[in-house]
Amino acid sequence: MYKDNKIILIIPALNEEGKIGNTVKKAREKCERLDEVLVMNDGSTDKTKEEAEKYGANVISFETNKGLGIAFKTAFKHAQDKNYDIGIVMAGDDQDDPDRLNDLIETIVDRGYDIVHGSRYLGGLREKVPLFRNLTTR
């Protein structure tokens, strides 16, 4: 919680065993403001669910892969039903930097933004990014 705002971190995942646990662990360690870490297990056939739960995430699982759209729709409905004020989406493949979660939350709350979009492709990683993604991210 931050300034009376309930905060949920949503992590979509498909077969992220070996990565999802570290993602959840680092997010929880770096950002104590999170009220819930929710992993959307989108039909994984590995141990994604068990690994996420081991590190403290709540998990909603689909038996088969339904795609990001359905995963997000389900997660946002869950957040709405639980009266969360802020929802943050982070990748489940351990590539996003949870060190920035507190900055993101402060930006949303303290500056009054309705939406903030971060990108792991900005700030020094541009040489590894396809030109189209670089242009559309900017």
Side-chain angles (χ1 to χ4, degrees):
M1 182 157 304
Y2 180 67
K3 295 185 178 179
D4 295 323
N5 290 278
K6 283 181 61 179
I7 303 164
I8 185 171
L9 177 64
I10 299 166
I11 305 173
L14 173 62
N15 295 326
E16 296 295 354
E17 180 181 3
K19 298 176 187 172
I20 192 68
N22 203 38
T23 300
V24 172
K25 180 182 178 219
K26 288 192 312 190
R28 286 209 166 279
E29 287 174 350
K30 302 290 182 174
C31 187
E32 295 174 358
R33 295 172 175 164
L34 298 173
D35 295 288
E36 180 179 359
V37 175
L38 175 66
V39 171
M40 291 303 305
N41 181 30
D42 193 13
S44 296
T45 57
D46 63 4
K47 301 277 188 210
T48 294
K49 178 183 188 290
E50 294 81 1
E51 189 175 312
E53 288 175 336
K54 176 182 175 182
Y55 288 95
N58 292 329
V59 179
I60 296 175
S61 292
F62 299 139
E63 291 296 317
T64 59
N65 180 264
K66 298 190 181 289
L68 274 176
I70 298 297
F72 283 141
K73 184 175 181 179
T74 303
F76 296 152
K77 176 78 168 101
H78 171 86
Q80 185 178 33
D81 290 348
K82 299 248 180 180
N83 296 312
Y84 281 102
D85 301 295
I86 298 171
I88 300 170
V89 175
M90 190 168 89
D93 58 4
D94 200 26
Q95 291 188 45
D96 289 337
D97 184 1
D99 284 335
R100 303 303 307 266
L101 287 172
N102 286 313
D103 294 338
L104 182 65
I105 292 165
E106 289 169 12
T107 298
I108 292 167
V109 175
D110 296 342
R111 295 186 186 175
Y113 290 120
D114 292 322
I115 189 168
V116 175
H117 180 264
S119 174
R120 65 180 176 232
Y121 297 109
L122 298 175
L125 295 176
R126 283 178 230 137
E127 68 277 358
K128 298 178 185 176
V129 181
L131 178 61
F132 177 76
R133 170 133 332 151
N134 195 347
L135 293 173
T136 57
T137 298
R138 289 180 172 278

